[in-house]
Amino acid sequence: MLIEKFHPATFAERGVAVPFTTPMLIGSRARPDEREGIELIVPNPGGGQGVYVFNWSQLTKFCQPSLHDLAMTERVGTLKLVTPATIRRVAREVAAEGLAGREVALAADRAWENEQQSSLLTNFNLLVGLMRQIETPDPLRATPERETPLRMQRRAQQTIAAFAPQIGLPPEQVAIHLEELADICLRVGVGNGAAAAFLPQLVRELRRFQRGLAEWAAVREGDRADLARYIVSEAGATLGVAEPMIAANQQRALNVVQLLRDYVLAPAKLSAEFARSDWLLDGWQLLCVRWRAASPEEYDDVIEDLAAMLPPMPTEVMEWGYMFGETFERNFRRKVQAGHDWRSGLLAFQGIERGEEALRLVFDVVAE
Amino acid sequence: MLLFVHKKKILPCYGIPHDWAIVMSSLRHEIRTLSSSVRSASDEQIAQVVATIDRMEKRGVADALVAPLRGRLRALAVRRPQTLRRISFEPLDPLILNNSVWKREQPFVPRSVLIPLFDMMRRGNPEFAHAEMLLPRAESDSTVRALLCTMLWRFGAGALRIAQPPHDWRQTSGLSDQDFRSIRSVVVGVLEQADRLRALDPRADETQILVQLREILIAAARSGGLTWQAILVLLFSNRDFVAYAVRLGQELAIAPELAIGLNAAFSNVSAVLQNRLDGLSEAACFSPLELADMVDVIVDLEAAAGPRSERKRIAEVLRRNANQLCAKAVTQTIDRELMPALKRDGNEVQPEVQSLAEAAARSARTLGLVAERLGVGDKYEARARKAIVFLNDPANCLDPVDRARLLEIMGRGTEAREVLRGAGRALEVAVG
């Protein structure tokens, strides 16, 4: 079904960006459908306004997807919950199978190892934060980071045991909650490791992308330059909301005592509040890597892909302080040779190769 | 620095030898001998030879070494250092021919005149001194390069338009004053349109392209017959604009001399394309995308040739030659690149080996699409069958995922899924 004007009201309605490699599926998003599982939203492949919305299982009738995309479809189709985090996990698992190439599989493995380490580090930082708040100040005692693993473990147990009665939970339950909180705070980052977390890294990547695209557009005229400037302004508006939101969450995560209390009272609410910036920035990483994977000679051809990938902002984002600018009406026509993708001018299999390179960079960004 | 050729090795020669005439004569003889043998050199050796010559301050007769390699250098995409002279004549590149094949009253430029023409452009032109200062920055900054190009083309054309043949023209170029005037009209005509030609954007709207092309062609027609032909040849050899150019050319060629020029351009572009095909043919290894580009031009030219038998015949000859080259390239890609990368002994394969196989598979696929465009897709299929059969064979030592990917790249998506199914990884879309 073609929807000519796609203005989602909520992030759930907007869906989550799926890193497909098939050129025709660039900019596609998945969203839950109450009746029939999951829906796919695909930007109009003809380059006109609007999106196609259809059931996930109909993908092969829409186009001929790559092996990697078939595997993605298979796995995403079984998801009970469609969020940026679940799609990222599925993308990493599918990529690790090697269907997008060995280099992508290696990058996905590295990203997985990196995430495991980040999870441990976040858990450790939360524990350290809790110790700082609960332990009685003692200038003679070593800081937690300098403790031996055995002494650190003992101090952590003592801290949790001292804090647990304050929220009416057994110590084991507090330890479990800390682990769950680590998963929630993982992408925003906590304490010393905050800058290396996924979302702060993505913000820096988006800044670089915004700067690069603005420089490219500054010395050009015409429709593509106008489109590039529009993307730059959208990136700026997104960053304008995302950066303070991430900073506030990082600040909030420093008060572990309050964080645990909030979590015990309303775990879903806290989780949703921390996930906001992830939803807000969802899809931008794919634009950044698509731009990064291109050589300067290819920038003209990449702009159309970027336009298709641009995440539409749902109206609910206004509650978070997002200011909508003017919309940009795309109306491009282009003559290409038979078998070439009209957006990029590439042959279908070259487009897939470019998509695979972007996918590798998606995981490498996470692993950096 | 001069070159000294000894036992087919190029050695630098410092200082000026005593008996210069004897040395030059000897050098020319050596160069001739070497030129014939250099044709059989490997791609790497050729890149080395060219790099050595490019590093020389004064190339002299050593330039003759490069002459037989021009087409091949283009096919190999050998990166040459940027010089003001090279940038100045860049828009004319497809029209520059070796002196041995250049003929009078044709829209081409013999290579031997480039140095004297460039000297005329530069002499008394203060903008060239400015351009010299910009040159180092032009390598890395595309905006500076664009500015440099505009300066060189505009002021170069302006200087040449009023230039007279220098007193030593006959001696240095071996050409007459009349030749000077006809060559000058081609060079000036193209340089005057060079900025407009560069501004053509294949991604732009069709109407916009037609408007820009019309302006270029009308200006070329006003500049005279040879410029008209030269601009047509340049556009006819460009895959993005050939169809538009033929259409507009026919529309604008109302005057008899323009109609004659259009026909001549058709014949001349075939020489340009044949030259490029020869270059690809001589290269041991070339990008299949280069051939794909050329085949697009040839097919569009053929479609635009209409019922005129002479144009049709020209296009058919080109198609036949492209077809032969494609067949040779397919065999070479499958036998020398893809199959060796597939033969594995069952040990864990390094990612680089699979990458090589995938690169070869992509080349084969591109050539397959070229063959389809030429109408001989079935012949490609027959040549590629060996690799497809091997990839489908579960008894080979390849990992099923690697096999499936290679089959997918070669356009065998269904077989790729079957390979995965056979390995217990059926890709079925299920909805939870």
Side-chain angles (χ1 to χ4, degrees):
Chain A
M1 177 177 62
L2 176 67
I3 297 176
E4 289 192 356
K5 297 282 179 191
F6 182 54
H7 296 307
T10 63
F11 277 102
E13 191 186 338
R14 176 178 86 164
V16 180
V18 186
F20 285 128
T21 57
T22 311
M24 207 170 181
L25 296 175
I26 276 176
S28 295
R29 310 183 79 85
R31 73 179 180 193
D33 175 26
E34 285 176 8
R35 289 166 302 170
E36 295 177 78
I38 291 172
E39 279 183 337
L40 191 63
I41 306 164
V42 185
N44 188 344
Q49 297 295 308
V51 293
Y52 279 91
V53 180
F54 51 88
N55 188 269
W56 195 251
S57 59
Q58 305 298 307
L59 176 66
T60 47
K61 291 181 184 165
F62 183 76
C63 68
Q64 192 178 356
S66 63
L67 292 176
H68 167 269
D69 292 355
L70 270 176
M72 274 294 286
T73 314
E74 181 190 67
R75 300 287 282 276
V76 173
T78 59
L79 281 178
K80 301 287 179 210
L81 196 62
V82 180
T83 67
T86 56
I87 293 289
R88 257 199 310 273
R89 177 174 54 76
V90 166
R92 200 183 50 227
E93 287 168 3
V94 170
E97 284 187 48
L99 290 172
R102 288 183 171 220
E103 288 182 3
V104 179
L106 288 172
D109 286 342
R110 282 196 299 272
W112 169 243
E113 285 166 18
N114 192 267
E115 190 171 313
Q116 293 299 103
Q117 283 179 1
S118 297
S119 182
L120 281 175
L121 184 68
T122 310
N123 198 358
F124 177 82
N125 284 334
L126 284 172
L127 200 54
V128 168
L130 186 66
M131 287 161 76
R132 288 210 172 98
Q133 287 182 279
I134 297 298
E135 284 180 345
T136 319
D138 180 357
L140 297 176
R141 192 165 43 206
T143 58
E145 293 88 343
R146 288 171 176 266
E147 288 284 22
T148 62
L150 194 65
R151 285 175 65 87
M152 175 64 192
Q153 193 181 358
R154 201 175 303 139
R155 275 177 68 178
Q157 282 168 349
Q158 287 166 354
T159 302
I160 291 174
F163 174 67
Q166 292 181 27
I167 52 173
L169 288 174
E172 304 79 45
Q173 192 59 47
V174 173
I176 291 169
H177 282 339
L178 271 176
E179 279 179 19
E180 289 164 349
L181 269 178
D183 274 348
I184 290 171
C185 300
L186 174 67
R187 283 173 289 282
V188 169
V190 178
N192 293 337
F198 173 71
L199 289 172
Q201 271 200 63
L202 179 52
V203 162
R204 289 196 295 276
E205 176 81 9
L206 185 51
R207 276 253 174 262
R208 277 195 294 273
F209 163 73
Q210 187 198 23
R211 201 165 42 241
L213 192 57
E215 282 170 7
W216 181 82
V219 289
R220 275 166 186 80
E221 290 175 0
D223 290 344
R224 278 179 175 74
D226 290 344
L227 182 54
R229 282 188 275 274
Y230 173 67
I231 295 170
V232 166
S233 78
E234 288 289 292
T238 306
L239 282 167
V241 181
E243 279 185 302
M245 192 181 274
I246 291 168
N249 281 334
Q250 286 172 341
Q251 191 62 33
R252 189 178 176 185
L254 293 177
N255 187 348
V256 186
V257 168
Q258 190 58 44
L259 203 63
L260 272 165
R261 286 185 199 281
D262 292 345
Y263 185 66
V264 170
L265 275 176
K269 183 168 175 278
L270 183 87
S271 181
E273 284 166 357
F274 267 79
R276 272 182 183 177
S277 43
D278 206 4
W279 280 96
L280 186 66
L281 289 165
D282 175 56
W284 279 103
Q285 192 190 11
L286 300 181
L287 277 92
C288 295
V289 294
R290 178 69 57 153
W291 180 255
R292 190 143 67 93
S295 63
E297 295 80 38
E298 294 171 325
Y299 286 164
D300 264 309
D301 290 326
V302 170
I303 294 293
E304 265 302 313
D305 283 352
L306 297 183
M309 291 173 168
L310 193 62
M313 276 299 160
T315 43
E316 82 169 299
V317 82
M318 288 171 78
E319 295 167 21
W320 305 351
Y322 184 90
M323 301 291 286
F324 278 94
E326 286 183 16
T327 54
F328 186 90
E329 297 285 323
R330 290 159 57 221
N331 185 25
F332 291 140
R333 283 181 293 171
R334 179 182 184 178
K335 196 172 177 179
V336 287
Q337 299 287 354
H340 290 68
D341 173 46
W342 81 268
R343 275 194 293 243
S344 61
L346 296 174
L347 289 163
F349 72 94
Q350 290 175 307
I352 291 176
E353 189 185 3
R354 185 186 273 186
E356 288 171 355
E357 172 60 9
L359 191 60
R360 186 185 67 76
L361 291 176
V362 162
F363 298 122
D364 274 349
V365 166
V366 177
E368 266 172 14
Chain B
M1 195 202 324
L2 292 163
L3 270 188
F4 179 64
V5 184
H6 176 67
K7 290 184 180 174
K8 297 188 182 178
K9 282 183 183 168
I10 303 167
L11 303 170
C13 169
Y14 299 95
I16 298 183
H18 179 65
D19 199 341
W20 181 237
I22 294 170
V23 171
M24 281 303 287
S25 163
S26 163
L27 264 178
R28 287 207 174 92
H29 173 73
E30 288 271 9
I31 290 278
R32 268 198 301 276
T33 315
L34 197 50
S35 290
S36 59
S37 62
V38 90
R39 284 175 193 271
S40 57
S42 72
D43 293 348
E44 292 77 18
Q45 286 170 323
I46 283 175
Q48 275 178 5
V49 168
V50 172
T52 308
I53 293 173
D54 279 339
R55 279 197 297 273
M56 295 164 59
E57 282 173 26
K58 288 194 175 174
R59 299 153 59 127
V61 286
D63 243 349
L65 256 186
V66 185
L69 305 173
R70 297 273 171 199
R72 207 168 151 189
L73 287 178
R74 185 191 174 96
L76 295 173
V78 173
R79 201 175 159 81
R80 313 289 301 274
Q82 296 280 304
T83 61
L84 289 191
R85 177 151 56 93
R86 198 162 274 143
I87 296 172
S88 295
F89 295 119
E90 199 174 80
L92 290 140
D93 193 43
L95 305 176
I96 298 170
L97 297 180
N98 290 334
N99 283 41
S100 55
V101 288
W102 179 81
K103 287 179 188 154
R104 290 196 163 83
E105 295 305 316
Q106 285 196 344
F108 295 109
V109 179
R111 195 170 295 279
S112 68
V113 305
L114 295 183
I115 292 175
L117 285 185
F118 180 69
D119 287 343
M120 281 180 239
M121 287 157 78
R122 187 167 53 178
R123 200 174 303 135
N125 219 335
E127 284 76 15
F128 275 65
H130 187 193
E132 194 87 56
M133 288 189 287
L134 287 177
L135 186 62
R137 283 174 57 203
E139 285 271 4
S140 56
D141 190 331
S142 58
T143 314
V144 173
R145 192 177 197 283
L147 177 71
L148 188 65
C149 288
T150 303
M151 281 172 63
L152 292 173
W153 299 339
R154 187 175 300 165
F155 293 112
L160 270 189
R161 198 183 302 115
I162 52 169
Q164 294 301 317
H167 66 278
D168 59 348
W169 168 257
R170 283 166 185 267
Q171 289 78 32
T172 54
S173 66
L175 302 169
S176 69
D177 288 0
Q178 176 60 30
D179 292 333
F180 173 82
R181 279 185 281 278
S182 70
I183 291 166
R184 183 183 62 183
S185 76
V186 171
V187 175
V188 171
V190 171
L191 290 184
E192 281 179 340
Q193 299 300 319
D195 252 341
R196 281 175 168 167
L197 286 166
R198 185 179 51 166
L200 286 170
D201 180 3
R203 306 167 198 87
D205 192 273
E206 185 174 339
T207 321
Q208 192 187 331
I209 293 177
L210 285 170
V211 167
Q212 288 175 307
L213 274 179
R214 186 182 291 274
E215 282 176 9
I216 292 169
L217 287 172
I218 288 173
R222 282 186 185 140
S223 298
L226 275 182
T227 305
W228 163 252
Q229 274 194 56
I231 297 285
L232 282 175
V233 169
L234 287 177
L235 291 169
F236 285 1
S237 54
N238 185 320
R239 79 173 251 222
D240 292 316
F241 304 113
V242 53
Y244 296 119
V246 171
R247 203 166 106 196
L248 279 176
Q250 283 168 342
E251 191 186 312
L252 293 170
I254 305 165
E257 64 272 22
L258 294 183
I260 292 167
L262 182 69
N263 278 338
F266 228 95
S267 307
N268 286 325
V269 79
S270 74
V272 171
L273 294 174
Q274 189 56 54
N275 199 21
R276 281 172 63 185
L277 281 176
D278 291 344
L280 292 181
S281 180
E282 285 165 14
C285 172
F286 63 84
S287 162
L289 292 172
E290 176 83 7
L291 180 60
D293 268 11
M294 288 196 59
V295 167
D296 282 343
V297 172
I298 292 167
V299 171
D300 278 357
L301 267 182
E302 195 176 12
R308 286 169 180 265
S309 59
E310 180 56 19
R311 289 189 191 175
K312 198 91 183 155
R313 194 190 62 75
I314 290 170
E316 277 170 5
V317 170
L318 284 171
R319 173 191 279 267
R320 202 167 43 243
N321 293 345
N323 193 357
Q324 282 173 1
L325 183 56
C326 180
K328 184 180 140 195
V330 170
T331 308
Q332 188 169 307
T333 305
I334 303 271
D335 291 350
R336 294 196 204 157
E337 295 172 33
L338 183 57
M339 292 310 288
L342 294 181
K343 304 286 184 197
R344 298 170 190 176
D345 57 7
N347 296 329
E348 177 61 25
V349 174
Q350 294 300 311
E352 300 80 48
V353 178
Q354 176 67 9
S355 293
L356 281 177
E358 288 180 10
R362 285 193 183 96
S363 295
R365 180 76 192 283
T366 309
L367 291 167
L369 293 169
V370 169
E372 270 178 36
R373 192 111 168 88
L374 288 165
V376 289
D378 51 339
K379 289 185 180 166
Y380 162 80
E381 289 291 315
R383 288 191 172 89
R385 194 175 307 283
K386 191 194 313 177
I388 301 292
V389 167
F390 184 83
L391 288 170
N392 271 306
D393 181 6
N396 67 36
C397 291
L398 269 69
D399 177 87
V401 171
D402 289 347
R403 285 165 57 202
R405 268 186 64 75
L406 290 164
L407 282 166
E408 182 186 32
I409 291 168
M410 293 186 78
R412 306 292 182 126
T414 313
E415 287 161 81
R417 286 174 72 173
E418 283 305 315
V419 165
L420 290 175
R421 192 191 303 278
R425 178 72 178 92
L427 293 172
E428 306 291 352
V429 180
V431 179

